[in-house]
Amino acid sequence: MEISILALPLIASIISGFFGRFIGDRSSEIITSLLVSISAIFSCLVFYEVIVNQYQENIIIATWISSGSLYVNWSMNIDPLSAVMLVVVTSVSALVHIYSIGYMSHDPHKPRFMAYLSLFTFAMLMLVTSDNFIQLFFGWEGVGLCSYFLIGFWFKKESANKAAIKAFVVNRVGDFGFALGIFLIFYLFGTVNYSEVFNQISKITDKNLLFIGITFNAVDLICLLLFIGAMGKSAQILLHTWLPDAMEGPTPVSALIHAATMVTAGVFLVVRCSPIYEYSELALNIITVVGMSTAFFAATVALVQNDIKKIIAYSTCSQLGYMFFATGVGAYNVAMFHLFTHAFFKALLFLGSGSVIHAFKDEQNINYMGGVWKKLPYTYSLMIIGTLALTGFPFLSGFYSKDAIIEFAYLRGNTAGYYAAGIGIFTAFLTSIYSWRLIFKTFHGEYNNKEIKIDETHESPIVMLIPLVLLSVGALFAGFLFKELFIGYEGLNNFWGDSIFFLKPLSTDHPPLWFLLLTPILVILSIPLAYYLFLKNKNLPDQIANINKPLYNFLLNKWYFDELYDVLFVKPSKKLGLFLWKFFDLKIIDGFGPDGISLLIKKFSLKANKFQSGYIYQYAFVMLLGFSALLTFLIVK
Amino acid sequence: MNFPILSSLILLPSIGALFLFFTKGNKKNNFTIKYVALFTSAVNFFLSVYLWISFDPSTSDFQFVEERIWIDDFINYKVGVDGISILFILLTTFITPLCIISVNNSIKERLSEFLIAVLIMESFMIGVFCSLDLVIFYLFFEAGLIPMFLIIGIWGGARRVYSAFKFFLYTLLGSVLMLVAIITIYWLNGTTDVVELYNSGIDIKYQNLLWLAFFSSFAVKTPMWPVHTWLPDAHVEAPTAGSVLLAAILLKMAGYGFIRFSLGLFPAASEIFTPLIYTLSVIAIIFTSLIALMQEDMKKLIAYSSVAHMGYVTLGIFTIQQQGIEGSIIQMISHGLVSAALFLCVGVVYDRMHSRLINTYGGIVSIIPKYSILFMLFTLAALGLPGTSGFVGEFLILMGAFKDNFLVAVIASLGVIIGAAYMLWLYKRVVFGKLVNTDLKQMFDLNRSELFILSCLALPILFFGFYPDPLINTIEVSISDLIDQYNFKLASQI
């Protein structure tokens, strides 16, 4: 059964990808959805076994690479951590498969789309169930590849192709760090299997390495290198630029890959490596800083964006930042909890926005929407649930996980922790503002679309709504139901077992009451505030924007990261490439090498040619010259 | 061993070529001619598979050794294989028949002469990979130049003569020095038998110069930076089948030579010159990757990417780590398959549109979908995606390099990023996007033989990506023994 969780999505992908043309669109859709759903049911069973019976197993499927002392298996490692990921991945994936049947109904390439989705699911499962770093890397690049395929799914769109390549290459930058991290692990431990590495980690905590004249602590270096990989995949600040562009892909893709699963792989990596990270104070602090910067940065950008999907994309970026600073303050289980709840409500929001886009016939700008809440009652109410859950409205799922992150950051008791808690609260407020801005501009106010009449907008078909309803159940109750299991305070909790390692047990204190109440109050207050800003007094935001034009432009242009990278990396590489080719290869190497030499010989032989003029008197003159030179030489000697 | 299997492998293609030589080439006969060539090379392939199966990977001794006296006390014809050479023989016998099938569309004139060149070249290449005598090795190594020179010079494109001569001059220059080195070795040790030389070792005083002489030949053939500029020209002018042979097999001779001779015969010098190799490899990886990014000609782009990939190979070899050298060999096999496939892919669209320029194309995915899928697979293998053979090689090389030198591994890993950029950009510009050039609409998808060839290449790329064990298993013992010998010789100063 365990293996079939992995195998079914792969089989689905092969059937739909290679035989989709023969079995037809509808059969491909049904087969892929069915197989992935079965995989999801099996995952839930495994999860249940893990909760109830503490089931753990490492199934070795086959040998992959064995070279010298390097030994890598294809494996399926089931422990609490991977069981949680199994449930998240397969269940969201199954729902997205079903949703896509409706969403892609007008697309001519359905089997291909379904094949990519299933293939992605397979790669993601390989990632989470690996027992070693190299299979993890396989899944890591595999999901990146499927993401590349799916972002560029509409291959005729230039922007989609560009976004796809950007996503892949930026991720490669992260993978560069990740791969170096794996090399370093192999160098230090002679193995890449988790259990063997984690067992040896405490022995090398004092080991230092010299690299380009700087001394690094070995554990710090491993942690930072792996974290670069995590930053790429999870779109953390500096390596985040691909995620908003990735919204070029079809919306179900954004929900599955760029919200619920793939982008959380970085968080998963850090949590998986908690036995290493716990020994590196430096890396944890850097993660905290990066996490909170991302959370804040992305939220500010989300405030002013007008594309419905980009707003949610930045929101994802920001929430991932929360997860990272949770791991940074050592609260790995809380990070996993937020990952778990976030998967539900963010997938819900994306699929909901897909439903809106579908209703507006592919319009994505929220300025050209509005006033349709009566026309789209189900989508509207489901989006409201998603928004409430995201903003952390009391007793919905985001409330439990996000507030827990802020609390644990506070309880960490160091400077980074206090900063993180402060920024966490402020960002929660911003999150609430931009989320309600999206809702009010999309569903309330006047109808602003000139291309489609309001009567033409229509509610989505039932096949798209059912996944939304199921996700909304998760968004409503996942936090409440799984709170004890994931982050229970009471010390009874041993759900995570060995899969998460705490060097020092997490603090079981409670923060002061005012601190606990601060976030929910801000979140609730922000609703009328957003209502006032974006519905009642619509000119006010524009006025604020006009007064602070530079700031507004700064936010609107996403802090100019793309432009900066263009100047720093893209253009110089192209120029350098051109220089090396046109100047170095052609002018210098060829010029002084083969072409130069042949030219020289040619010139030389042309000169030599002139000697053979055929005139006797010239030959005689040269002979005379030679004779007198010889004579002179002999006399002088 | 009664049946001289290695000599048969070497001779069989030449016999086929001889047969073709006496067959008059004309339109009517072309069919027969092709099938004779194909049959010969296919038999050779099965023979080499048999060789692989009966090969014993648990020992590093040379197997299937044959020895005959050629010139008394001077040159013996001696051939044999160990784990290192056998995979290259397989690669050669695997690629050649595919090349012969592919000539259908690209070679219109002098077909029989072309096939003679291909078959003769196969003979020479197999000879290179199994000779155990330096003089024999040198003869095969240099003789391999001639058919390639002819293939470029006769069946090439517009600037074929320039390219052919550039190719010839570059490679000859290096070779002359190698010949001098071989004569010196004979003068020093009284033999050119590789096994004897392995055992006796070479006087440490002369190793540096000898190493450099061998290096100058191998560096050109690899090609290493900065003597790589012949490769893009040669590829651009060569016909598709020529490019395939060049990239898939010819370039591998040098990598093989580095392992067999530079490491095996001159360990002390190899140790001294490792920094030189590292530097040149890293420059090759980064510089040529950047150059590849800016190419407008598809073949040139792939040619430059070959230089970068071979940079990984030389880097891996001189790490003297199990992972590094094994990675290099797998990378060479993988590059043999992938670059062959990529050149064939370029050939496919070139046969239809007669243009190699990237901007001629764009938006062809819906016109020729089968082609697009396979091309995508090879693109991914070229950028080293896990699950393809390219990943296994590259990753092992970098892993080995990291053990030996952090900085080199870090810079070389950067090449992986640029590699992804130029390959995906190439693919995007050729296959994706809007269809602008309406002439492209008349393109037809892969025909049966093209589909067959590309699938034959795709299967091992994927198979060895997921299960490289058959490859690693073959080379493991030979390489660990090579490394032991190397370290032993270093320690005992011989």
Side-chain angles (χ1 to χ4, degrees), chain A residues 64 66-68 70 74 141 145 155 158 161 168 172 176 183-184 211 574 576-577 581 584-585 589-590 595, chain B residues 162 166 225-226 228-229 290 295 304 323 326 365 380 383 386 398 410 416 428 432-433 465-466 468 472 476:
Chain A
W64 183 13
S66 80
S67 163
L70 175 72
W74 293 111
E141 292 257 296
L145 172 73
F155 52 81
E158 181 66 18
N161 286 323
F168 198 90
R172 268 276 159 125
F176 159 73
F183 300 150
L184 185 57
F211 177 67
K574 285 187 176 176
L576 192 60
W581 173 32
F584 217 86
D585 265 24
I589 297 179
D590 275 359
D595 293 355
Chain B
Y162 170 78
K166 200 171 179 184
W225 191 89
H228 64 280
T229 56
L290 284 171
Q295 296 304 311
Y304 273 113
Q323 285 83 25
E326 285 182 10
V365 59
L380 296 174
L383 61 83
L398 291 172
V410 170
V416 176
K428 183 210 118 183
F432 288 150
F466 281 92
I472 298 180
E476 180 99 4

Side-chain angles (χ1 to χ4, degrees), chain A residues 461-502:
Chain A
I462 186 96
V463 70
M464 286 168 71
L465 289 175
I466 288 174
L468 287 179
V469 172
L470 292 174
L471 285 171
S472 73
V473 174
L476 284 170
F477 304 114
F480 175 72
L481 288 176
F482 289 97
K483 176 176 185 293
E484 275 308 308
L485 186 71
F486 278 69
I487 56 166
Y489 272 97
E490 306 310 323
L492 303 168
N493 179 337
N494 55 359
F495 167 67
W496 294 107
D498 301 333
S499 63
I500 293 181
F501 173 78
F502 297 102

